[in-house]
PDB file of all heavy atoms in Angstrom:
ATOM      1  N   ARG C   1       0.857  -1.207   0.029  1.00 96.00           N
ATOM      2  CA  ARG C   1       0.000  -0.002   0.021  1.00 96.00           C
ATOM      3  C   ARG C   1       0.866   1.238  -0.009  1.00 96.00           C
ATOM      4  O   ARG C   1       1.961   1.239   0.618  1.00 96.00           O
ATOM      5  CB  ARG C   1      -0.917   0.000   1.232  1.00 96.00           C
ATOM      6  CG  ARG C   1      -1.875  -1.184   1.136  1.00 96.00           C
ATOM      7  CD  ARG C   1      -2.941  -1.293   2.162  1.00 96.00           C
ATOM      8  NE  ARG C   1      -2.871  -0.493   3.295  1.00 96.00           N
ATOM      9  CZ  ARG C   1      -3.918  -0.126   4.032  1.00 96.00           C
ATOM     10  NH1 ARG C   1      -5.105  -0.522   3.689  1.00 96.00           N
ATOM     11  NH2 ARG C   1      -3.813   0.598   5.106  1.00 96.00           N
ATOM     12  N   LEU C   2       0.380   2.258  -0.736  1.00 97.00           N
ATOM     13  CA  LEU C   2       1.098   3.514  -0.850  1.00 97.00           C
ATOM     14  C   LEU C   2       0.254   4.643  -0.281  1.00 97.00           C
ATOM     15  O   LEU C   2      -0.968   4.625  -0.414  1.00 97.00           O
ATOM     16  CB  LEU C   2       1.414   3.826  -2.296  1.00 97.00           C
ATOM     17  CG  LEU C   2       2.325   2.820  -3.048  1.00 97.00           C
ATOM     18  CD1 LEU C   2       2.401   3.171  -4.517  1.00 97.00           C
ATOM     19  CD2 LEU C   2       3.679   2.775  -2.396  1.00 97.00           C
ATOM     20  N   ALA C   3       0.916   5.613   0.313  1.00 97.00           N
ATOM     21  CA  ALA C   3       0.232   6.785   0.857  1.00 97.00           C
ATOM     22  C   ALA C   3       0.907   8.046   0.392  1.00 97.00           C
ATOM     23  O   ALA C   3       2.140   8.073   0.160  1.00 97.00           O
ATOM     24  CB  ALA C   3       0.279   6.722   2.379  1.00 97.00           C
ATOM     25  N   LEU C   4       0.144   9.095   0.236  1.00 98.00           N
ATOM     26  CA  LEU C   4       0.696  10.401  -0.030  1.00 98.00           C
ATOM     27  C   LEU C   4       1.467  10.889   1.199  1.00 98.00           C
ATOM     28  O   LEU C   4       0.992  10.698   2.271  1.00 98.00           O
ATOM     29  CB  LEU C   4      -0.406  11.443  -0.311  1.00 98.00           C
ATOM     30  CG  LEU C   4      -1.112  11.395  -1.660  1.00 98.00           C
ATOM     31  CD1 LEU C   4      -2.262  12.355  -1.621  1.00 98.00           C
ATOM     32  CD2 LEU C   4      -0.128  11.810  -2.768  1.00 98.00           C
ATOM     33  N   THR C   5       2.616  11.422   0.959  1.00 98.00           N
ATOM     34  CA  THR C   5       3.366  12.068   2.064  1.00 98.00           C
ATOM     35  C   THR C   5       2.803  13.482   2.173  1.00 98.00           C
ATOM     36  O   THR C   5       2.039  13.942   1.342  1.00 98.00           O
ATOM     37  CB  THR C   5       4.871  12.124   1.767  1.00 98.00           C
ATOM     38  OG1 THR C   5       5.056  12.959   0.591  1.00 98.00           O
ATOM     39  CG2 THR C   5       5.471  10.699   1.557  1.00 98.00           C
ATOM     40  N   ALA C   6       3.262  14.231   3.188  1.00 98.00           N
ATOM     41  CA  ALA C   6       2.794  15.602   3.285  1.00 98.00           C
ATOM     42  C   ALA C   6       3.249  16.436   2.077  1.00 98.00           C
ATOM     43  O   ALA C   6       2.469  17.209   1.541  1.00 98.00           O
ATOM     44  CB  ALA C   6       3.409  16.224   4.553  1.00 98.00           C
ATOM     45  N   ALA C   7       4.484  16.141   1.599  1.00 98.00           N
ATOM     46  CA  ALA C   7       4.978  16.856   0.385  1.00 98.00           C
ATOM     47  C   ALA C   7       4.126  16.451  -0.828  1.00 98.00           C
ATOM     48  O   ALA C   7       3.787  17.295  -1.695  1.00 98.00           O
ATOM     49  CB  ALA C   7       6.387  16.544   0.123  1.00 98.00           C
ATOM     50  N   GLY C   8       3.740  15.179  -0.928  1.00 98.00           N
ATOM     51  CA  GLY C   8       2.943  14.709  -2.057  1.00 98.00           C
ATOM     52  C   GLY C   8       1.549  15.268  -2.029  1.00 98.00           C
ATOM     53  O   GLY C   8       1.006  15.665  -3.062  1.00 98.00           O
ATOM     54  N   ARG C   9       1.002  15.417  -0.832  1.00 98.00           N
ATOM     55  CA  ARG C   9      -0.326  15.961  -0.702  1.00 98.00           C
ATOM     56  C   ARG C   9      -0.346  17.444  -1.073  1.00 98.00           C
ATOM     57  O   ARG C   9      -1.214  17.938  -1.749  1.00 98.00           O
ATOM     58  CB  ARG C   9      -0.839  15.826   0.734  1.00 98.00           C
ATOM     59  CG  ARG C   9      -2.290  16.143   0.947  1.00 98.00           C
ATOM     60  CD  ARG C   9      -2.792  15.764   2.335  1.00 98.00           C
ATOM     61  NE  ARG C   9      -2.678  14.395   2.667  1.00 98.00           N
ATOM     62  CZ  ARG C   9      -3.551  13.433   2.263  1.00 98.00           C
ATOM     63  NH1 ARG C   9      -4.516  13.730   1.477  1.00 98.00           N
ATOM     64  NH2 ARG C   9      -3.358  12.212   2.658  1.00 98.00           N
ATOM     65  N   GLU C  10       0.714  18.177  -0.641  1.00 98.00           N
ATOM     66  CA  GLU C  10       0.814  19.567  -0.972  1.00 98.00           C
ATOM     67  C   GLU C  10       0.993  19.821  -2.503  1.00 98.00           C
ATOM     68  O   GLU C  10       0.387  20.671  -3.075  1.00 98.00           O
ATOM     69  CB  GLU C  10       1.957  20.228  -0.225  1.00 98.00           C
ATOM     70  CG  GLU C  10       2.280  21.697  -0.570  1.00 98.00           C
ATOM     71  CD  GLU C  10       1.067  22.631  -0.476  1.00 98.00           C
ATOM     72  OE1 GLU C  10       0.091  22.370   0.313  1.00 98.00           O
ATOM     73  OE2 GLU C  10       1.085  23.676  -1.173  1.00 98.00           O
ATOM     74  N   LEU C  11       1.862  18.970  -3.083  1.00 98.00           N
ATOM     75  CA  LEU C  11       2.088  19.074  -4.579  1.00 98.00           C
ATOM     76  C   LEU C  11       0.793  18.764  -5.316  1.00 98.00           C
ATOM     77  O   LEU C  11       0.396  19.519  -6.217  1.00 98.00           O
ATOM     78  CB  LEU C  11       3.157  18.156  -5.019  1.00 98.00           C
ATOM     79  CG  LEU C  11       3.447  18.139  -6.537  1.00 98.00           C
ATOM     80  CD1 LEU C  11       3.886  19.452  -7.047  1.00 98.00           C
ATOM     81  CD2 LEU C  11       4.515  17.080  -6.831  1.00 98.00           C
ATOM     82  N   GLN C  12       0.107  17.731  -4.888  1.00 98.00           N
ATOM     83  CA  GLN C  12      -1.188  17.376  -5.555  1.00 98.00           C
ATOM     84  C   GLN C  12      -2.180  18.505  -5.432  1.00 98.00           C
ATOM     85  O   GLN C  12      -2.920  18.798  -6.355  1.00 98.00           O
ATOM     86  CB  GLN C  12      -1.678  16.043  -4.985  1.00 98.00           C
ATOM     87  CG  GLN C  12      -2.822  15.418  -5.793  1.00 98.00           C
ATOM     88  CD  GLN C  12      -4.130  16.049  -5.422  1.00 98.00           C
ATOM     89  OE1 GLN C  12      -4.424  16.463  -4.343  1.00 98.00           O
ATOM     90  NE2 GLN C  12      -5.018  16.118  -6.414  1.00 98.00           N
ATOM     91  N   ARG C  13      -2.180  19.125  -4.255  1.00 97.00           N
ATOM     92  CA  ARG C  13      -3.119  20.241  -4.025  1.00 97.00           C
ATOM     93  C   ARG C  13      -2.781  21.377  -4.945  1.00 97.00           C
ATOM     94  O   ARG C  13      -3.675  21.974  -5.556  1.00 97.00           O
ATOM     95  CB  ARG C  13      -3.061  20.637  -2.546  1.00 97.00           C
ATOM     96  CG  ARG C  13      -4.105  21.743  -2.225  1.00 97.00           C
ATOM     97  CD  ARG C  13      -3.743  22.559  -1.019  1.00 97.00           C
ATOM     98  NE  ARG C  13      -2.494  23.299  -1.190  1.00 97.00           N
ATOM     99  CZ  ARG C  13      -2.334  24.427  -1.932  1.00 97.00           C
ATOM    100  NH1 ARG C  13      -3.394  24.872  -2.621  1.00 97.00           N
ATOM    101  NH2 ARG C  13      -1.179  24.997  -2.002  1.00 97.00           N
ATOM    102  N   ARG C  14      -1.500  21.703  -5.115  1.00 97.00           N
ATOM    103  CA  ARG C  14      -1.101  22.818  -5.976  1.00 97.00           C
ATOM    104  C   ARG C  14      -1.438  22.515  -7.438  1.00 97.00           C
ATOM    105  O   ARG C  14      -1.877  23.381  -8.117  1.00 97.00           O
ATOM    106  CB  ARG C  14       0.454  23.079  -5.814  1.00 97.00           C
ATOM    107  CG  ARG C  14       0.760  23.812  -4.590  1.00 97.00           C
ATOM    108  CD  ARG C  14       2.244  24.260  -4.452  1.00 97.00           C
ATOM    109  NE  ARG C  14       3.084  24.143  -5.687  1.00 97.00           N
ATOM    110  CZ  ARG C  14       4.193  23.426  -5.760  1.00 97.00           C
ATOM    111  NH1 ARG C  14       4.582  22.754  -4.735  1.00 97.00           N
ATOM    112  NH2 ARG C  14       4.825  23.364  -6.858  1.00 97.00           N
ATOM    113  N   ILE C  15      -1.170  21.300  -7.842  1.00 97.00           N
ATOM    114  CA  ILE C  15      -1.464  20.903  -9.235  1.00 97.00           C
ATOM    115  C   ILE C  15      -2.998  20.962  -9.414  1.00 97.00           C
ATOM    116  O   ILE C  15      -3.490  21.440 -10.431  1.00 97.00           O
ATOM    117  CB  ILE C  15      -0.909  19.502  -9.536  1.00 97.00           C
ATOM    118  CG1 ILE C  15       0.620  19.537  -9.562  1.00 97.00           C
ATOM    119  CG2 ILE C  15      -1.488  18.999 -10.881  1.00 97.00           C
ATOM    120  CD1 ILE C  15       1.324  18.204  -9.635  1.00 97.00           C
ATOM    121  N   GLY C  16      -3.762  20.459  -8.433  1.00 96.00           N
ATOM    122  CA  GLY C  16      -5.220  20.487  -8.561  1.00 96.00           C
ATOM    123  C   GLY C  16      -5.747  21.938  -8.696  1.00 96.00           C
ATOM    124  O   GLY C  16      -6.660  22.189  -9.459  1.00 96.00           O
ATOM    125  N   ALA C  17      -5.168  22.836  -7.891  1.00 97.00           N
ATOM    126  CA  ALA C  17      -5.610  24.254  -7.941  1.00 97.00           C
ATOM    127  C   ALA C  17      -5.287  24.859  -9.321  1.00 97.00           C
ATOM    128  O   ALA C  17      -6.108  25.549  -9.927  1.00 97.00           O
ATOM    129  CB  ALA C  17      -4.937  25.018  -6.832  1.00 97.00           C
ATOM    130  N   GLY C  18      -4.102  24.541  -9.818  1.00 97.00           N
ATOM    131  CA  GLY C  18      -3.704  25.017 -11.142  1.00 97.00           C
ATOM    132  C   GLY C  18      -4.610  24.455 -12.229  1.00 97.00           C
ATOM    133  O   GLY C  18      -4.965  25.141 -13.176  1.00 97.00           O
ATOM    134  N   THR C  19      -4.899  23.144 -12.142  1.00 97.00           N
ATOM    135  CA  THR C  19      -5.785  22.489 -13.069  1.00 97.00           C
ATOM    136  C   THR C  19      -7.146  23.070 -13.056  1.00 97.00           C
ATOM    137  O   THR C  19      -7.810  23.316 -14.104  1.00 97.00           O
ATOM    138  CB  THR C  19      -5.820  21.001 -12.778  1.00 97.00           C
ATOM    139  OG1 THR C  19      -4.479  20.460 -12.919  1.00 97.00           O
ATOM    140  CG2 THR C  19      -6.651  20.270 -13.859  1.00 97.00           C
ATOM    141  N   ALA C  20      -7.655  23.391 -11.866  1.00 97.00           N
ATOM    142  CA  ALA C  20      -8.984  24.009 -11.739  1.00 97.00           C
ATOM    143  C   ALA C  20      -9.003  25.400 -12.443  1.00 97.00           C
ATOM    144  O   ALA C  20      -9.975  25.738 -13.115  1.00 97.00           O
ATOM    145  CB  ALA C  20      -9.395  24.173 -10.279  1.00 97.00           C
ATOM    146  N   GLU C  21      -7.930  26.140 -12.309  1.00 97.00           N
ATOM    147  CA  GLU C  21      -7.830  27.417 -13.014  1.00 97.00           C
ATOM    148  C   GLU C  21      -7.840  27.240 -14.506  1.00 97.00           C
ATOM    149  O   GLU C  21      -8.497  27.984 -15.272  1.00 97.00           O
ATOM    150  CB  GLU C  21      -6.590  28.212 -12.569  1.00 97.00           C
ATOM    151  CG  GLU C  21      -6.621  28.710 -11.140  1.00 97.00           C
ATOM    152  CD  GLU C  21      -5.333  29.350 -10.739  1.00 97.00           C
ATOM    153  OE1 GLU C  21      -4.498  29.745 -11.576  1.00 97.00           O
ATOM    154  OE2 GLU C  21      -5.129  29.511  -9.502  1.00 97.00           O
ATOM    155  N   ILE C  22      -7.060  26.271 -14.998  1.00 96.00           N
ATOM    156  CA  ILE C  22      -7.047  26.056 -16.381  1.00 96.00           C
ATOM    157  C   ILE C  22      -8.401  25.598 -16.887  1.00 96.00           C
ATOM    158  O   ILE C  22      -8.881  26.048 -17.908  1.00 96.00           O
ATOM    159  CB  ILE C  22      -5.960  24.934 -16.682  1.00 96.00           C
ATOM    160  CG1 ILE C  22      -4.544  25.431 -16.483  1.00 96.00           C
ATOM    161  CG2 ILE C  22      -6.141  24.363 -18.126  1.00 96.00           C
ATOM    162  CD1 ILE C  22      -3.502  24.326 -16.449  1.00 96.00           C
ATOM    163  N   THR C  23      -9.026  24.694 -16.211  1.00 96.00           N
ATOM    164  CA  THR C  23     -10.353  24.195 -16.559  1.00 96.00           C
ATOM    165  C   THR C  23     -11.382  25.332 -16.637  1.00 96.00           C
ATOM    166  O   THR C  23     -12.108  25.428 -17.614  1.00 96.00           O
ATOM    167  CB  THR C  23     -10.809  23.101 -15.595  1.00 96.00           C
ATOM    168  OG1 THR C  23      -9.877  22.040 -15.591  1.00 96.00           O
ATOM    169  CG2 THR C  23     -12.200  22.579 -15.941  1.00 96.00           C
ATOM    170  N   ALA C  24     -11.367  26.189 -15.654  1.00 96.00           N
ATOM    171  CA  ALA C  24     -12.278  27.320 -15.637  1.00 96.00           C
ATOM    172  C   ALA C  24     -12.050  28.204 -16.869  1.00 96.00           C
ATOM    173  O   ALA C  24     -13.009  28.672 -17.508  1.00 96.00           O
ATOM    174  CB  ALA C  24     -12.132  28.093 -14.335  1.00 96.00           C
ATOM    175  N   ARG C  25     -10.806  28.451 -17.203  1.00 96.00           N
ATOM    176  CA  ARG C  25     -10.487  29.312 -18.308  1.00 96.00           C
ATOM    177  C   ARG C  25     -10.881  28.647 -19.678  1.00 96.00           C
ATOM    178  O   ARG C  25     -11.441  29.278 -20.569  1.00 96.00           O
ATOM    179  CB  ARG C  25      -8.970  29.595 -18.325  1.00 96.00           C
ATOM    180  CG  ARG C  25      -8.580  30.569 -19.356  1.00 96.00           C
ATOM    181  CD  ARG C  25      -7.145  30.930 -19.190  1.00 96.00           C
ATOM    182  NE  ARG C  25      -6.706  31.850 -20.243  1.00 96.00           N
ATOM    183  CZ  ARG C  25      -5.445  32.253 -20.433  1.00 96.00           C
ATOM    184  NH1 ARG C  25      -4.502  31.817 -19.640  1.00 96.00           N
ATOM    185  NH2 ARG C  25      -5.184  33.032 -21.372  1.00 96.00           N
ATOM    186  N   LEU C  26     -10.633  27.367 -19.812  1.00 96.00           N
ATOM    187  CA  LEU C  26     -10.868  26.694 -21.055  1.00 96.00           C
ATOM    188  C   LEU C  26     -12.357  26.414 -21.309  1.00 96.00           C
ATOM    189  O   LEU C  26     -12.863  26.418 -22.434  1.00 96.00           O
ATOM    190  CB  LEU C  26     -10.095  25.371 -21.170  1.00 96.00           C
ATOM    191  CG  LEU C  26      -8.589  25.466 -21.146  1.00 96.00           C
ATOM    192  CD1 LEU C  26      -8.039  24.061 -21.249  1.00 96.00           C
ATOM    193  CD2 LEU C  26      -8.067  26.349 -22.273  1.00 96.00           C
ATOM    194  N   TYR C  27     -13.130  26.179 -20.233  1.00 96.00           N
ATOM    195  CA  TYR C  27     -14.533  25.853 -20.391  1.00 96.00           C
ATOM    196  C   TYR C  27     -15.473  27.030 -20.117  1.00 96.00           C
ATOM    197  O   TYR C  27     -16.676  26.836 -20.200  1.00 96.00           O
ATOM    198  CB  TYR C  27     -14.838  24.633 -19.449  1.00 96.00           C
ATOM    199  CG  TYR C  27     -14.201  23.363 -19.878  1.00 96.00           C
ATOM    200  CD1 TYR C  27     -12.920  23.122 -19.513  1.00 96.00           C
ATOM    201  CD2 TYR C  27     -14.916  22.501 -20.700  1.00 96.00           C
ATOM    202  CE1 TYR C  27     -12.285  21.905 -19.933  1.00 96.00           C
ATOM    203  CE2 TYR C  27     -14.280  21.310 -21.095  1.00 96.00           C
ATOM    204  CZ  TYR C  27     -13.001  21.006 -20.731  1.00 96.00           C
ATOM    205  OH  TYR C  27     -12.377  19.894 -21.162  1.00 96.00           O
ATOM    206  N   ALA C  28     -14.876  28.169 -19.807  1.00 95.00           N
ATOM    207  CA  ALA C  28     -15.696  29.347 -19.482  1.00 95.00           C
ATOM    208  C   ALA C  28     -16.674  29.634 -20.611  1.00 95.00           C
ATOM    209  O   ALA C  28     -16.368  29.535 -21.813  1.00 95.00           O
ATOM    210  CB  ALA C  28     -14.838  30.573 -19.225  1.00 95.00           C
ATOM    211  N   ASP C  29     -17.902  29.955 -20.261  1.00 96.00           N
ATOM    212  CA  ASP C  29     -18.908  30.410 -21.197  1.00 96.00           C
ATOM    213  C   ASP C  29     -19.422  29.323 -22.166  1.00 96.00           C
ATOM    214  O   ASP C  29     -20.215  29.613 -23.122  1.00 96.00           O
ATOM    215  CB  ASP C  29     -18.486  31.626 -22.024  1.00 96.00           C
ATOM    216  CG  ASP C  29     -18.136  32.791 -21.058  1.00 96.00           C
ATOM    217  OD1 ASP C  29     -18.766  32.937 -20.022  1.00 96.00           O
ATOM    218  OD2 ASP C  29     -17.217  33.588 -21.460  1.00 96.00           O
ATOM    219  N   LEU C  30     -18.988  28.079 -22.000  1.00 96.00           N
ATOM    220  CA  LEU C  30     -19.545  27.006 -22.813  1.00 96.00           C
ATOM    221  C   LEU C  30     -20.833  26.572 -22.208  1.00 96.00           C
ATOM    222  O   LEU C  30     -20.895  26.304 -20.994  1.00 96.00           O
ATOM    223  CB  LEU C  30     -18.579  25.880 -22.972  1.00 96.00           C
ATOM    224  CG  LEU C  30     -17.237  26.124 -23.705  1.00 96.00           C
ATOM    225  CD1 LEU C  30     -16.329  24.964 -23.650  1.00 96.00           C
ATOM    226  CD2 LEU C  30     -17.529  26.506 -25.162  1.00 96.00           C
ATOM    227  N   PRO C  31     -21.913  26.449 -22.960  1.00 96.00           N
ATOM    228  CA  PRO C  31     -23.218  26.138 -22.394  1.00 96.00           C
ATOM    229  C   PRO C  31     -23.129  24.710 -21.714  1.00 96.00           C
ATOM    230  O   PRO C  31     -22.566  23.800 -22.277  1.00 96.00           O
ATOM    231  CB  PRO C  31     -24.122  26.091 -23.614  1.00 96.00           C
ATOM    232  CG  PRO C  31     -23.474  26.922 -24.645  1.00 96.00           C
ATOM    233  CD  PRO C  31     -21.986  26.741 -24.409  1.00 96.00           C
ATOM    234  N   ALA C  32     -23.830  24.622 -20.611  1.00 96.00           N
ATOM    235  CA  ALA C  32     -23.827  23.367 -19.849  1.00 96.00           C
ATOM    236  C   ALA C  32     -24.387  22.215 -20.668  1.00 96.00           C
ATOM    237  O   ALA C  32     -23.890  21.128 -20.594  1.00 96.00           O
ATOM    238  CB  ALA C  32     -24.646  23.554 -18.542  1.00 96.00           C
ATOM    239  N   GLU C  33     -25.392  22.488 -21.503  1.00 97.00           N
ATOM    240  CA  GLU C  33     -25.977  21.441 -22.312  1.00 97.00           C
ATOM    241  C   GLU C  33     -24.974  20.954 -23.365  1.00 97.00           C
ATOM    242  O   GLU C  33     -24.989  19.766 -23.703  1.00 97.00           O
ATOM    243  CB  GLU C  33     -27.309  21.842 -22.905  1.00 97.00           C
ATOM    244  CG  GLU C  33     -27.264  23.028 -23.810  1.00 97.00           C
ATOM    245  CD  GLU C  33     -27.425  24.395 -23.118  1.00 97.00           C
ATOM    246  OE1 GLU C  33     -27.420  24.487 -21.896  1.00 97.00           O
ATOM    247  OE2 GLU C  33     -27.606  25.419 -23.847  1.00 97.00           O
ATOM    248  N   ASP C  34     -24.120  21.852 -23.862  1.00 94.00           N
ATOM    249  CA  ASP C  34     -23.114  21.448 -24.809  1.00 94.00           C
ATOM    250  C   ASP C  34     -22.073  20.562 -24.141  1.00 94.00           C
ATOM    251  O   ASP C  34     -21.634  19.535 -24.703  1.00 94.00           O
ATOM    252  CB  ASP C  34     -22.478  22.654 -25.477  1.00 94.00           C
ATOM    253  CG  ASP C  34     -23.333  23.362 -26.454  1.00 94.00           C
ATOM    254  OD1 ASP C  34     -24.457  22.889 -26.695  1.00 94.00           O
ATOM    255  OD2 ASP C  34     -22.903  24.460 -26.952  1.00 94.00           O
ATOM    256  N   LEU C  35     -21.660  20.931 -22.934  1.00 95.00           N
ATOM    257  CA  LEU C  35     -20.714  20.158 -22.215  1.00 95.00           C
ATOM    258  C   LEU C  35     -21.255  18.756 -21.801  1.00 95.00           C
ATOM    259  O   LEU C  35     -20.549  17.769 -21.939  1.00 95.00           O
ATOM    260  CB  LEU C  35     -20.294  20.891 -20.942  1.00 95.00           C
ATOM    261  CG  LEU C  35     -19.484  22.222 -21.164  1.00 95.00           C
ATOM    262  CD1 LEU C  35     -19.264  22.921 -19.847  1.00 95.00           C
ATOM    263  CD2 LEU C  35     -18.173  21.934 -21.852  1.00 95.00           C
ATOM    264  N   ALA C  36     -22.522  18.727 -21.493  1.00 96.00           N
ATOM    265  CA  ALA C  36     -23.163  17.485 -21.147  1.00 96.00           C
ATOM    266  C   ALA C  36     -23.206  16.569 -22.395  1.00 96.00           C
ATOM    267  O   ALA C  36     -22.919  15.358 -22.358  1.00 96.00           O
ATOM    268  CB  ALA C  36     -24.561  17.661 -20.559  1.00 96.00           C
TER     269      ALA C  36
END
């Protein structure tokens, strides 16, 4: 079994936050029905 270390958790959190920003920018203003 593998576990995230504190450093791994922090890196994953930073990447996740950056990915969320990218996603918001790329998908902004696209209609929900089109995305679905």
Side-chain angles (χ1 to χ4, degrees):
R1 296 185 348 155
L2 298 174
L4 283 172
T5 63
R9 191 172 300 281
E10 174 56 23
L11 177 60
Q12 191 278 328
R13 186 203 61 75
R14 284 188 9 239
I15 292 170
T19 301
E21 289 176 18
I22 291 167
T23 300
R25 186 172 178 188
L26 296 180
Y27 291 84
D29 302 329
L30 294 175
E33 59 273 9
D34 288 355
L35 294 173

